[in-house]
Amino acid sequence: MEFTKLQLSDALLKGLKRQEIRTMTPVQQEALPLVLKGKDIVAQAQTGSGKTLSFVIPILESVAKSKFSFQALILVPTRELAKQIADVIRITAFAIPDIKVLTLIGGEPLSLQKEQLERGAHIVVATPGRVIDFIGKDMIRFDTVSQLVLDEADKMLDMGFYDDI
């Protein structure tokens, strides 16, 4: 099935076309119609199956671009995955004006990330440890967050983040 059947915005379709992505993978065919309607899902699929776009597309479609507020949190187990997902978001959203994505990860200055968050980000991709740092220092609020993704939740649990999550 092609993405055009989902009635996505032209800007989002341009982002997919730029990546030469035209048809949905099986996990996208199952997940996207539900998530685009606001349903919560749990999806399991192998690496390379298109899971990331299964949550990135609905986030990009629903984020209020005119509000520079933290609206979606994607929690991931590692810095590398956070950077990878942020890159996918930026590439997919290239034709959507004013979308701001921020990564909150260890190994980078907390003060700089705090400043970036205060300037406004629509989508935050973060590791549990860094989010806990922000919570512990009362540097983050979740009152404007309407979407939460736990990507590779099984790995986060294996890494000991059960209570934190």
Side-chain angles (χ1 to χ4, degrees), residues 9-11 14 26 30 63 68 79-80 97 100-101 121 126 139 147:
S9 67
D10 288 340
K14 284 180 187 176
E30 293 288 324
V63 163
F68 283 119
R79 290 184 292 222
E80 295 77 16
K100 188 165 179 194
V101 181
M139 295 170 31
Q147 296 181 71

Side-chain angles (χ1 to χ4, degrees), residues 43-157:
Q44 278 185 297
Q46 294 181 340
T47 300
S49 63
K51 288 186 306 286
T52 301
L53 283 178
S54 295
F55 59 81
V56 166
I57 288 171
I59 288 172
L60 289 173
E61 280 292 283
S62 66
V63 163
K65 288 91 176 162
S66 61
K67 295 181 184 178
F68 283 119
S69 62
F70 175 22
Q71 300 172 44
L73 172 62
I74 302 168
L75 205 57
V76 300
T78 66
R79 290 184 292 222
E80 295 77 16
L81 184 57
K83 290 177 183 179
Q84 178 184 348
I85 290 172
D87 287 344
V88 168
I89 294 168
R90 288 180 185 108
I91 291 166
T92 306
F94 95 97
I96 303 172
D98 302 323
I99 288 289
K100 188 165 179 194
V101 181
L102 175 63
T103 55
L104 299 180
I105 57 177
E108 295 185 11
L110 190 70
S111 59
L112 176 61
Q113 291 177 352
K114 179 185 180 220
E115 288 174 24
Q116 292 170 331
L117 186 60
E118 287 172 347
R119 279 189 240 133
H122 297 100
I123 304 165
V124 173
V125 186
T127 55
R130 186 45 54 115
V131 171
I132 291 165
D133 291 343
F134 268 75
I135 291 170
K137 296 183 184 323
D138 200 28
M139 295 170 31
I140 194 167
R141 295 180 50 148
F142 299 97
D143 56 333
T144 57
V145 174
S146 60
Q147 296 181 71
L148 171 65
V149 174
L150 301 176
D151 192 21
E152 297 192 10
D154 56 334
K155 288 185 183 174
M156 287 188 279
L157 296 175

Side-chain angles (χ1 to χ4, degrees), residues 34-48:
L34 296 171
V35 180
L36 287 166
K37 289 179 185 173
K39 304 287 184 188
D40 294 334
I41 67 161
V42 175
Q44 278 185 297
Q46 294 181 340
T47 300

